Amino acid sequence: MLEKNIDFQIEKSWGITLKEELNSLYFKEIKQFILQEKNKKNIIYPPNNLIFNAFNQTPFNEVKVVIIGQDPYHGVNQAHGLSFSVLDGNTHPPSLINIYKELESDLTIPYPKSGDLTPWAKQGVLLLNASLTVRQAEANSHQKIGWQKFTDSVIKQLSEKRNDIVFLLWGGFAKKKGAKIDASKHHILTSGHPSPLSANRGFWFGNQHFSKTNKLLKRLGKSEIDWEIK
């Protein structure tokens, strides 16, 4: 049976902030494209109810930190709408392994069992992927369907309407994505990407972004992030 509609649920404050985007022609085209994918029997990740998980876990006015990823994981039952995060029961992907290693080095936090970063999101860390969906086993397959424009608008809204957010830009893609963030209002930390290719060349380990973020938040009078994942 063919699906005739696709409904994304997005948290109220984000729905208000992104109303213009959500009602735009290009966003309707995104929905139409995903609907066509599903009707062709292509498997799309994450499932519909988790496409906007980052927004639903971290309301607009509660965002304290933003971590920009590129693309959802495209393996079975991995992606759940949070950048770099995987559902419990999955092997930790290489980038997440290196994130955890840096966390261990920076804050002496024990390497966790879970790869689910939801506890960060619930504390105000927006785990934003530049593309919000992907076709199974095909990395970056939805990169050009309109998500880039949408997530550019997300970053623009945060930059313009909020103050003193800590943006963590890891790797060239994230730096380019965050190029228009107003550095006079926000705090931008950059480093290489946590992928093995970058990390093993010395561009990731030792960036101390987790402790630096907490020092910034403390200085701003905001509660620090408890980065420990159980």
Side-chain angles (χ1 to χ4, degrees):
M1 184 175 176
L2 294 179
E3 291 187 48
K4 294 182 179 180
N5 193 23
I6 188 165
D7 186 29
F8 299 141
Q9 297 298 320
I10 189 165
E11 186 271 335
K12 184 177 179 181
S13 65
W14 280 109
I16 293 168
T17 302
L18 299 171
K19 183 178 179 181
E20 188 174 328
E21 305 301 314
L22 294 168
N23 291 324
S24 68
L25 175 61
Y26 85 84
F27 192 81
K28 290 185 175 79
E29 290 171 348
I30 291 174
K31 292 171 75 172
Q32 188 61 31
F33 181 92
I34 294 173
L35 196 60
Q36 288 171 355
E37 289 273 79
K38 288 176 178 288
N39 287 331
K40 289 176 186 174
K41 306 302 181 187
N42 289 324
I43 296 173
I44 306 303
Y45 297 130
N48 284 3
N49 66 313
L50 292 175
I51 289 172
F52 282 95
N53 193 27
F55 304 90
N56 296 336
Q57 296 289 348
T58 316
F60 181 75
N61 289 319
E62 294 178 21
V63 175
K64 296 190 290 189
V65 181
V66 178
I67 298 177
I68 298 174
Q70 189 164 354
D71 199 42
Y73 296 118
H74 50 78
V76 177
N77 205 37
Q78 285 183 306
H80 63 127
L82 306 179
S83 61
F84 296 103
S85 180
V86 287
L87 287 166
D88 278 341
N90 282 281
T91 301
H92 297 171
S95 291
L96 183 59
I97 289 171
N98 286 336
I99 288 170
Y100 281 165
K101 284 181 177 178
E102 176 57 26
L103 197 56
E104 197 171 14
S105 169
D106 185 15
L107 292 171
T108 64
I109 288 174
Y111 191 98
K113 293 180 181 178
S114 175
D116 185 348
L117 303 180
T118 300
W120 293 2
K122 288 184 176 297
Q123 296 176 76
V125 182
L126 181 67
L127 295 163
L128 178 67
N129 274 319
S131 296
L132 300 188
T133 57
V134 69
R135 193 182 302 134
Q136 184 183 39
E138 294 185 43
N140 293 316
S141 50
H142 287 183
Q143 188 176 28
K144 296 180 180 178
I145 71 169
W147 283 130
Q148 299 288 336
K149 184 175 181 179
F150 180 80
T151 52
D152 280 346
S153 179
V154 170
I155 294 167
K156 182 182 179 186
Q157 293 291 335
L158 287 166
S159 179
E160 291 181 355
K161 295 181 179 177
R162 294 286 314 281
N163 292 297
D164 289 323
I165 291 174
V166 182
F167 288 87
L168 304 183
L169 307 182
W170 297 341
F173 178 87
K175 290 171 190 172
K176 185 176 179 181
K177 189 79 176 168
K180 294 183 181 178
I181 296 165
D182 187 346
S184 70
K185 293 173 59 184
H186 301 283
H187 309 271
I188 302 170
L189 300 179
T190 63
S191 81
H193 195 274
S195 67
L197 181 64
S198 174
N200 293 338
R201 291 164 61 196
F203 300 132
W204 165 255
F205 292 117
N207 66 28
Q208 298 183 319
H209 276 193
F210 304 105
S211 61
K212 288 176 180 176
T213 294
N214 276 353
K215 285 175 184 174
L216 282 167
L217 293 174
K218 187 175 182 180
R219 196 178 82 202
L220 294 165
K222 298 182 181 183
S223 57
E224 299 173 49
I225 306 299
D226 178 1
W227 295 106
E228 185 172 3
I229 301 289
K230 305 296 184 186

